[in-house]
Structures are given as C-alpha cells and as structure tokens.
C-alpha cells in the first residue's frame, strides 16, 4: 500500500447484521416466536393451536379438510393438533349431517374462553416486543410484513408448499386478524 492510500473501509459482518432486512427479520422472528410461544404456553396452547382456534372463531364450523387446507398442514398433523384440543373440550368434531364422510370441527364455549386468554397473552407479548414503536409505526410494520408475505404467497402456489411457505401462514393469519 502506498503511503497516501487510505485503507478501504470494509463492510463487516456485524454491521451487516444490523443493516440486512432479511437477516434482521430472521433474528427478530426467532425472538418473536420465542415470546409468542411463551405467551401461548402460559395458557397451555401452541401457536398452531391458537391459529386453529382463531380460524374456528372467525369462520365458524369448518370441515377438517378445509382446516387442513387453510392451515397448510398434512391431514395427519391436523389430527394430532385436534386430538388434545378435543380432549380438553376446546373443540368438538362431529360428522357432517349432509355428508357423513366429512368431519366438522366446532369451537366450544371453553375454546372461546381459552382463545380470548391466549389473545390477551399474545397482545401483551407483542406490546412488549414492539415497545420501541408507536401505534403508527406498528401499523406500518404490519402493512410492510403483509406486503412481503403476500408477494411470497403469489410466487409459491399454496397447493405446492405443504404449509412451509408464507402462503399458508398468510392465508391463515388473515383469518385470525
């Protein structure tokens, strides 16, 4: 290096961590999931159980086939999710009177109470998580995240992703907003 040359400032990995939206979203997503899982666990629900109860609350009685499609879960995974909820009396499965081959899932009164408790716990966790943002910034963040989610859902058809892309999450998330 010549005496008059100044070394180029390198963009470091640690700086990238603070400036990369994708990496920042991934890291914050891990923390958000940890907090939301803790909030839901405090009322003995998983985030998926909360999502399922929310879908039933918003849509009313739903067939198992429609639930598995809305949540992007394999049918066997949905059954594993439903069984403990039914044992706790939070949901009820019954045969569809019009088509005895179909099972319809309903939210019980106890399920509504537990869903409300979980929603309050989730709101409290989100208030803590986003304490640095005012109400307008929170709305803006929600709109931006929804725009990214919608775009990703357009790129990967729901029928091809088996619930692993934002498609299922975006679709189901709208149902519980």
């Amino acid at each position: 290096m010549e005496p008059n040359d100044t070394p180029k400032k390198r963009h470091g990995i640690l700086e990238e961590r603070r400036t990369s939206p994708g990496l920042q979203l991934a890291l914050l997503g891990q923390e958000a999931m940890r907090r939301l899982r803790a909030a839901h666990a405090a009322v003995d629900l998983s985030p998926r159980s909360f999502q399922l109860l929310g879908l039933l609350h918003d849509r009313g009685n739903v067939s198992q086939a429609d639930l598995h499609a809305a949540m992007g879960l394999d049918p066997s995974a949905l059954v594993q999710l439903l069984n403990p909820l039914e044992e706790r009396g939070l949901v009820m499965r019954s045969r569809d009177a019009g088509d005895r081959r179909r099972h319809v899932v309903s939210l019980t009164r106890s399920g509504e109470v537990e869903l409300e408790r979980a929603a309050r716990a989730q709101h409290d966790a989100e208030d803590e998580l986003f304490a640095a943002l005012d109400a307008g910034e929170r709305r803006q963040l929600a709109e931006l995240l929804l725009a990214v989610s919608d775009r990703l859902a357009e790129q990967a058809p729901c029928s091809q992703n088996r619930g692993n892309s934002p498609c299922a999450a975006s679709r189901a998330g709208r149902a519980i907003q």
Side-chain angles (χ1 to χ4, degrees):
M1 180 181 305
E2 295 294 320
N4 291 337
D5 288 347
T6 57
K8 291 182 181 179
K9 182 166 174 125
R10 293 186 343 171
H11 185 73
I13 297 294
L14 294 178
E15 180 59 26
E16 181 179 340
R17 182 177 181 197
R18 293 194 55 75
T19 60
S20 167
L23 184 55
Q24 196 57 248
L25 184 61
L27 294 170
L28 290 171
Q30 289 175 343
E31 178 63 15
M33 184 54 78
R34 184 188 67 74
R35 291 177 186 218
L36 292 177
R37 278 192 176 126
H40 292 145
V43 293
D44 202 23
L45 290 176
S46 69
R48 282 283 194 193
S49 297
F50 176 79
Q51 178 188 17
L52 187 143
L53 296 178
L55 282 167
L56 294 173
H57 176 270
D58 292 354
R59 296 182 182 178
N61 299 343
V62 179
S63 74
Q64 275 189 221
D66 289 342
L67 270 179
H68 111 73
M71 294 185 69
L73 293 174
D74 288 332
S76 62
L78 178 63
V79 169
Q80 290 178 355
L81 187 61
L82 284 170
N83 287 344
L85 295 174
E86 187 173 35
E87 288 170 11
R88 290 175 55 194
L90 305 181
V91 300
M92 183 176 70
R93 284 183 276 195
S94 58
R95 294 275 182 195
D96 185 337
D99 183 350
R100 300 291 297 160
R101 295 170 296 177
R102 291 175 17 131
H103 283 92
V104 175
V105 183
S106 307
L107 184 65
T108 66
R109 179 67 188 131
S110 295
E112 289 178 18
V113 170
E114 289 302 300
L115 178 61
E116 181 58 36
R117 287 182 56 221
R120 279 193 308 272
Q122 178 174 314
H123 288 296
D124 292 346
E126 288 176 353
D127 283 346
E128 184 180 308
L129 185 65
F130 299 116
L133 303 178
D134 65 31
E137 290 168 328
R138 288 182 191 198
R139 278 191 300 278
Q140 184 180 17
L141 177 61
E143 290 170 7
L144 291 170
L145 292 172
L146 187 57
V148 170
S149 181
D150 286 347
R151 175 60 188 238
L152 292 174
E154 291 170 6
Q155 294 172 351
C158 294
S159 62
Q160 296 176 2
N161 68 47
R162 293 182 138 334
N164 295 324
S165 85
C167 180
S170 175
R171 201 179 36 218
R174 277 189 190 66
I176 57 176
Q177 288 179 352

